[in-house]
Amino acid sequence: MKAVVYHGPGAKSWESVPDPTIEDDTDAIVRVDAVTICGTDLHILKGDVPAVTDGRVLGHEAVGTVEAVGAGVKNVEPGSRVLVSCISACARCRFCRQGRYGACVGGGGWILGHLIDGTQAEYLRVPFADTSTYPVPEGVSDEAILMLADIGPTGYEVGVLNGRVSPGETVAVVGAGPIGLSVMLTAQLYSPGRIIAIDLADARLEAAKRFGATDVINNGREDAVARVMELTDGLGADVAMEAVGVPATFELCTKLVRTGGRVANLGVHGAPATLALEELWIKDVTITTGLVDAYSTADLLRLIVAGRLDVGPFITHRFALGQFMDAYDVFANAGETGALKVVLARDGSSG
Ligand SMILES: [Zn+2]
Ligand SMILES: [Zn+2]
């Protein structure tokens, strides 16, 4: 089969590799029908994730059709359409028993396209298939469900639920890339009074308006702290979400939050950030961090089926599987291409 193979920082190719096979009796082999690229894949390609080694098939998001299952798999069978989550769950370890699947110590967690071969391929092996996949309901498109492999639950769990967004509140989201937009979209499930999007790119702020932002601030031109204070009677945001992953944006969030408010960090950080305790100690703030656990995936799936969550606007570009190198170029140059999520489909249409 063909797959996107990592060959060290800056090097990848769409090339022939051996077909995956069942290795454990809880495995499934899934034919990939629709797949996407994550910002995390770009971090890997920069060399930021040293656990990913030469020869690894990239990708941790897919929708596909089960081809074969091990003897121990009970919930899916050949022919089933499934969502393959970015998080695999052994379902037995201490953390899985608490619903903290992202922290799985029984062989799961974020392993696809990281510690084992991933989804950017014609076929993949899915470990713990019963507890790491979700059946796709009839009548829902592959590309819509694909948005729940990672960005949907990440924005909702690590942003909205960790940040405890409540009705009427002001939510400030720093970073209007796919994850920040996912926060804005799913925050609306809790009816905030205001959603303030903050970013350096006007194109992303335009996208933010389509995802529910009521106010946008370009912090390259405007003082984001002053503007947020103006919008909140001088108090600050009830909750500030960090969706970039650099020190400056985390530090900005701690300045935007009101006394008694929450800062929810979603960004993947590669450098230390300053925690200004000399200012924060008296402010009663709560700061949360986390990797997605994907415990909310089935809830979000029901919202899509019910027509109450529209993930369609995430998808800006569509390709056939064989066009992976072009898709990477478009996604990596989001500033010029306006790419949010690119979808690659087996039949080239991703419907
Ligand atoms: Zn991802
Ligand atoms: Zn586990």
Side-chain angles (χ1 to χ4, degrees), residues 243-272:
V244 180
V246 299
T249 48
F250 174 79
E251 290 157 18
L252 175 59
C253 284
T254 64
K255 295 189 175 98
L256 296 174
V257 70
R258 70 162 163 82
T259 295
R262 288 87 64 200
V263 173
N265 182 82
L266 295 100
V268 176
H269 289 263

mmCIF file of all heavy atoms in Angstrom, residues 243-272:
data_model
loop_
_atom_site.group_PDB
_atom_site.id
_atom_site.type_symbol
_atom_site.label_atom_id
_atom_site.label_comp_id
_atom_site.label_asym_id
_atom_site.label_seq_id
_atom_site.Cartn_x
_atom_site.Cartn_y
_atom_site.Cartn_z
ATOM 1 N N ALA A 243 -4.785 28.947 22.431
ATOM 2 C CA ALA A 243 -4.862 27.969 21.336
ATOM 3 C C ALA A 243 -3.775 28.212 20.299
ATOM 4 O O ALA A 243 -4.018 28.111 19.095
ATOM 5 C CB ALA A 243 -6.250 28.005 20.696
ATOM 6 N N VAL A 244 -2.576 28.551 20.762
ATOM 7 C CA VAL A 244 -1.452 28.767 19.854
ATOM 8 C C VAL A 244 -0.269 27.867 20.249
ATOM 9 O O VAL A 244 0.235 27.096 19.438
ATOM 10 C CB VAL A 244 -0.991 30.244 19.847
ATOM 11 C CG1 VAL A 244 0.184 30.434 18.877
ATOM 12 C CG2 VAL A 244 -2.144 31.165 19.473
ATOM 13 N N GLY A 245 0.176 28.002 21.525
ATOM 14 C CA GLY A 245 1.287 27.166 21.972
ATOM 15 C C GLY A 245 2.625 27.878 22.000
ATOM 16 O O GLY A 245 3.665 27.252 21.827
ATOM 17 N N VAL A 246 2.614 29.199 22.208
ATOM 18 C CA VAL A 246 3.881 29.925 22.417
ATOM 19 C C VAL A 246 3.771 30.717 23.723
ATOM 20 O O VAL A 246 2.659 31.002 24.190
ATOM 21 C CB VAL A 246 4.239 30.863 21.239
ATOM 22 C CG1 VAL A 246 4.419 30.061 19.943
ATOM 23 C CG2 VAL A 246 3.203 31.948 21.058
ATOM 24 N N PRO A 247 4.919 31.046 24.361
ATOM 25 C CA PRO A 247 4.857 31.729 25.662
ATOM 26 C C PRO A 247 4.019 33.006 25.638
ATOM 27 O O PRO A 247 3.238 33.265 26.567
ATOM 28 C CB PRO A 247 6.332 32.030 25.972
ATOM 29 C CG PRO A 247 7.089 30.958 25.252
ATOM 30 C CD PRO A 247 6.311 30.690 23.986
ATOM 31 N N ALA A 248 4.156 33.832 24.593
ATOM 32 C CA ALA A 248 3.472 35.141 24.580
ATOM 33 C C ALA A 248 1.958 34.985 24.669
ATOM 34 O O ALA A 248 1.287 35.793 25.334
ATOM 35 C CB ALA A 248 3.855 35.914 23.320
ATOM 36 N N THR A 249 1.400 33.972 24.022
ATOM 37 C CA THR A 249 -0.055 33.842 24.020
ATOM 38 C C THR A 249 -0.570 33.307 25.360
ATOM 39 O O THR A 249 -1.645 33.690 25.820
ATOM 40 C CB THR A 249 -0.522 32.957 22.854
ATOM 41 O OG1 THR A 249 0.268 31.764 22.843
ATOM 42 C CG2 THR A 249 -0.370 33.691 21.532
ATOM 43 N N PHE A 250 0.209 32.444 25.998
ATOM 44 C CA PHE A 250 -0.180 32.002 27.345
ATOM 45 C C PHE A 250 -0.134 33.183 28.312
ATOM 46 O O PHE A 250 -1.048 33.410 29.111
ATOM 47 C CB PHE A 250 0.734 30.873 27.835
ATOM 48 C CG PHE A 250 0.459 30.500 29.265
ATOM 49 C CD1 PHE A 250 -0.621 29.701 29.591
ATOM 50 C CD2 PHE A 250 1.260 30.991 30.291
ATOM 51 C CE1 PHE A 250 -0.904 29.384 30.922
ATOM 52 C CE2 PHE A 250 0.989 30.678 31.618
ATOM 53 C CZ PHE A 250 -0.095 29.873 31.929
ATOM 54 N N GLU A 251 0.948 33.946 28.230
ATOM 55 C CA GLU A 251 1.089 35.099 29.136
ATOM 56 C C GLU A 251 -0.022 36.118 28.878
ATOM 57 O O GLU A 251 -0.552 36.732 29.818
ATOM 58 C CB GLU A 251 2.494 35.707 28.956
ATOM 59 C CG GLU A 251 3.572 34.772 29.508
ATOM 60 C CD GLU A 251 4.967 34.988 28.913
ATOM 61 O OE1 GLU A 251 5.209 36.051 28.322
ATOM 62 O OE2 GLU A 251 5.801 34.070 29.053
ATOM 63 N N LEU A 252 -0.422 36.288 27.612
ATOM 64 C CA LEU A 252 -1.538 37.181 27.294
ATOM 65 C C LEU A 252 -2.827 36.686 27.962
ATOM 66 O O LEU A 252 -3.574 37.480 28.550
ATOM 67 C CB LEU A 252 -1.725 37.260 25.764
ATOM 68 C CG LEU A 252 -2.926 38.055 25.271
ATOM 69 C CD1 LEU A 252 -2.874 39.506 25.750
ATOM 70 C CD2 LEU A 252 -3.020 38.001 23.729
ATOM 71 N N CYS A 253 -3.070 35.379 27.901
ATOM 72 C CA CYS A 253 -4.293 34.841 28.526
ATOM 73 C C CYS A 253 -4.353 35.161 30.015
ATOM 74 O O CYS A 253 -5.427 35.470 30.545
ATOM 75 C CB CYS A 253 -4.377 33.329 28.313
ATOM 76 S SG CYS A 253 -4.879 32.898 26.645
ATOM 77 N N THR A 254 -3.212 35.091 30.701
ATOM 78 C CA THR A 254 -3.225 35.368 32.141
ATOM 79 C C THR A 254 -3.460 36.853 32.430
ATOM 80 O O THR A 254 -3.831 37.213 33.549
ATOM 81 C CB THR A 254 -1.910 34.920 32.828
ATOM 82 O OG1 THR A 254 -0.819 35.691 32.322
ATOM 83 C CG2 THR A 254 -1.649 33.444 32.623
ATOM 84 N N LYS A 255 -3.289 37.696 31.394
ATOM 85 C CA LYS A 255 -3.599 39.129 31.567
ATOM 86 C C LYS A 255 -5.042 39.442 31.189
ATOM 87 O O LYS A 255 -5.600 40.454 31.623
ATOM 88 C CB LYS A 255 -2.672 39.981 30.697
ATOM 89 C CG LYS A 255 -1.212 39.902 31.115
ATOM 90 C CD LYS A 255 -0.385 40.931 30.347
ATOM 91 C CE LYS A 255 1.046 40.951 30.826
ATOM 92 N NZ LYS A 255 1.921 40.149 29.953
ATOM 93 N N LEU A 256 -5.643 38.573 30.369
ATOM 94 C CA LEU A 256 -7.012 38.831 29.891
ATOM 95 C C LEU A 256 -8.064 38.372 30.894
ATOM 96 O O LEU A 256 -9.209 38.799 30.831
ATOM 97 C CB LEU A 256 -7.262 38.078 28.575
ATOM 98 C CG LEU A 256 -6.422 38.485 27.368
ATOM 99 C CD1 LEU A 256 -6.709 37.538 26.202
ATOM 100 C CD2 LEU A 256 -6.724 39.923 26.964
ATOM 101 N N VAL A 257 -7.676 37.455 31.804
ATOM 102 C CA VAL A 257 -8.677 36.796 32.646
ATOM 103 C C VAL A 257 -9.065 37.679 33.836
ATOM 104 O O VAL A 257 -8.240 38.399 34.399
ATOM 105 C CB VAL A 257 -8.145 35.414 33.093
ATOM 106 C CG1 VAL A 257 -6.991 35.556 34.094
ATOM 107 C CG2 VAL A 257 -9.259 34.558 33.653
ATOM 108 N N ARG A 258 -10.344 37.620 34.185
ATOM 109 C CA ARG A 258 -10.824 38.407 35.325
ATOM 110 C C ARG A 258 -10.441 37.734 36.642
ATOM 111 O O ARG A 258 -10.079 36.552 36.669
ATOM 112 C CB ARG A 258 -12.357 38.542 35.265
ATOM 113 C CG ARG A 258 -13.111 37.238 35.549
ATOM 114 C CD ARG A 258 -14.558 37.497 35.901
ATOM 115 N NE ARG A 258 -15.411 36.325 35.799
ATOM 116 C CZ ARG A 258 -15.532 35.372 36.735
ATOM 117 N NH1 ARG A 258 -14.817 35.416 37.845
ATOM 118 N NH2 ARG A 258 -16.366 34.355 36.545
ATOM 119 N N THR A 259 -10.567 38.434 37.734
ATOM 120 C CA THR A 259 -10.415 37.839 39.063
ATOM 121 C C THR A 259 -11.446 36.713 39.206
ATOM 122 O O THR A 259 -12.619 36.892 38.879
ATOM 123 C CB THR A 259 -10.646 38.918 40.142
ATOM 124 O OG1 THR A 259 -9.593 39.886 40.027
ATOM 125 C CG2 THR A 259 -10.640 38.319 41.535
ATOM 126 N N GLY A 260 -10.972 35.557 39.638
ATOM 127 C CA GLY A 260 -11.881 34.417 39.792
ATOM 128 C C GLY A 260 -12.139 33.668 38.505
ATOM 129 O O GLY A 260 -12.949 32.730 38.495
ATOM 130 N N GLY A 261 -11.490 34.071 37.417
ATOM 131 C CA GLY A 261 -11.741 33.445 36.125
ATOM 132 C C GLY A 261 -10.842 32.243 35.868
ATOM 133 O O GLY A 261 -10.095 31.798 36.748
ATOM 134 N N ARG A 262 -10.937 31.710 34.649
ATOM 135 C CA ARG A 262 -10.203 30.503 34.280
ATOM 136 C C ARG A 262 -9.366 30.748 33.031
ATOM 137 O O ARG A 262 -9.807 31.427 32.104
ATOM 138 C CB ARG A 262 -11.170 29.335 33.973
ATOM 139 C CG ARG A 262 -11.879 28.741 35.179
ATOM 140 C CD ARG A 262 -13.174 29.456 35.534
ATOM 141 N NE ARG A 262 -14.187 29.348 34.506
ATOM 142 C CZ ARG A 262 -15.230 30.160 34.395
ATOM 143 N NH1 ARG A 262 -15.417 31.151 35.260
ATOM 144 N NH2 ARG A 262 -16.110 29.997 33.424
ATOM 145 N N VAL A 263 -8.174 30.146 33.012
ATOM 146 C CA VAL A 263 -7.341 30.110 31.818
ATOM 147 C C VAL A 263 -7.245 28.645 31.407
ATOM 148 O O VAL A 263 -6.824 27.807 32.209
ATOM 149 C CB VAL A 263 -5.928 30.669 32.074
ATOM 150 C CG1 VAL A 263 -5.029 30.460 30.857
ATOM 151 C CG2 VAL A 263 -5.990 32.147 32.451
ATOM 152 N N ALA A 264 -7.671 28.328 30.187
ATOM 153 C CA ALA A 264 -7.571 26.954 29.695
ATOM 154 C C ALA A 264 -6.521 26.927 28.594
ATOM 155 O O ALA A 264 -6.658 27.614 27.581
ATOM 156 C CB ALA A 264 -8.911 26.465 29.166
ATOM 157 N N ASN A 265 -5.477 26.139 28.793
ATOM 158 C CA ASN A 265 -4.430 26.023 27.778
ATOM 159 C C ASN A 265 -4.701 24.836 26.872
ATOM 160 O O ASN A 265 -4.879 23.710 27.341
ATOM 161 C CB ASN A 265 -3.062 25.833 28.440
ATOM 162 C CG ASN A 265 -1.964 25.770 27.404
ATOM 163 O OD1 ASN A 265 -1.498 26.808 26.938
ATOM 164 N ND2 ASN A 265 -1.576 24.573 26.993
ATOM 165 N N LEU A 266 -4.742 25.099 25.546
ATOM 166 C CA LEU A 266 -4.885 24.019 24.560
ATOM 167 C C LEU A 266 -3.619 23.834 23.737
ATOM 168 O O LEU A 266 -3.389 22.772 23.176
ATOM 169 C CB LEU A 266 -6.034 24.321 23.595
ATOM 170 C CG LEU A 266 -7.437 24.360 24.178
ATOM 171 C CD1 LEU A 266 -7.870 25.799 24.414
ATOM 172 C CD2 LEU A 266 -8.429 23.664 23.269
ATOM 173 N N GLY A 267 -2.812 24.905 23.617
ATOM 174 C CA GLY A 267 -1.671 24.890 22.712
ATOM 175 C C GLY A 267 -0.636 23.850 23.107
ATOM 176 O O GLY A 267 -0.508 23.481 24.272
ATOM 177 N N VAL A 268 0.095 23.371 22.088
ATOM 178 C CA VAL A 268 1.216 22.458 22.294
ATOM 179 C C VAL A 268 2.459 23.323 22.450
ATOM 180 O O VAL A 268 2.867 23.986 21.501
ATOM 181 C CB VAL A 268 1.374 21.514 21.081
ATOM 182 C CG1 VAL A 268 2.593 20.617 21.233
ATOM 183 C CG2 VAL A 268 0.108 20.687 20.879
ATOM 184 N N HIS A 269 3.034 23.363 23.649
ATOM 185 C CA HIS A 269 4.161 24.264 23.921
ATOM 186 C C HIS A 269 5.499 23.554 23.794
ATOM 187 O O HIS A 269 5.637 22.400 24.211
ATOM 188 C CB HIS A 269 4.033 24.847 25.340
ATOM 189 C CG HIS A 269 2.913 25.840 25.468
ATOM 190 N ND1 HIS A 269 3.109 27.192 25.386
ATOM 191 C CD2 HIS A 269 1.581 25.656 25.615
ATOM 192 C CE1 HIS A 269 1.940 27.815 25.510
ATOM 193 N NE2 HIS A 269 0.996 26.901 25.647
ATOM 194 N N GLY A 270 6.469 24.285 23.254
ATOM 195 C CA GLY A 270 7.816 23.736 23.131
ATOM 196 C C GLY A 270 8.844 24.511 23.939
ATOM 197 O O GLY A 270 10.023 24.183 23.923
ATOM 198 N N ALA A 271 8.384 25.565 24.663
ATOM 199 C CA ALA A 271 9.322 26.400 25.434
ATOM 200 C C ALA A 271 8.637 26.851 26.720
ATOM 201 O O ALA A 271 7.414 26.940 26.768
ATOM 202 C CB ALA A 271 9.736 27.619 24.603
ATOM 203 N N PRO A 272 9.405 27.146 27.775
ATOM 204 C CA PRO A 272 8.794 27.593 29.034
ATOM 205 C C PRO A 272 8.112 28.948 28.871
ATOM 206 O O PRO A 272 8.572 29.792 28.105
ATOM 207 C CB PRO A 272 9.985 27.725 29.996
ATOM 208 C CG PRO A 272 11.147 27.116 29.321
ATOM 209 C CD PRO A 272 10.866 27.097 27.853
#
